[in-house]
Amino acid sequence: MTDEQVELLEKITEAIEAQPAKPDYHDYEYGKCSKDDYVAQYNKWAAVDNFVTAITQYDLMKNGRL
């Protein structure tokens, strides 16, 4: 494994560990945040969640459990 690959894995790990909480739609609905803020928070949360889901599915398929 190259140094660049190790660095990339470390950055991915940091991103997963720093994943923000899923934003609450009610915060937008009740005026606690703007729609743009809600969408930005959701997109940050979803980016990490989608990646983790894809890795989990890959692992399950690789090990014959999916």
Side-chain angles (χ1 to χ4, degrees):
M1 186 176 283
T2 67
D3 290 343
E4 291 84 14
Q5 290 170 322
V6 171
E7 186 177 323
L8 178 59
L9 288 173
E10 289 171 350
K11 288 180 180 181
I12 290 170
T13 301
E14 288 175 16
I16 291 170
E17 290 171 350
Q19 179 184 22
K22 184 176 182 180
D24 187 350
Y25 185 77
H26 291 101
D27 288 348
Y28 161 64
E29 206 170 44
Y30 298 130
K32 293 182 181 178
C33 68
S34 70
K35 182 177 182 179
D36 290 340
D37 288 342
Y38 172 79
V39 169
Q41 290 173 11
Y42 184 87
N43 287 339
K44 288 178 184 178
W45 170 83
V48 176
D49 190 64
N50 291 341
F51 179 79
V52 170
T53 300
I55 293 297
T56 302
Q57 288 178 345
Y58 171 78
D59 183 54
L60 291 172
M61 286 177 15
K62 180 179 167 188
N63 293 305
R65 293 179 277 163
L66 182 66

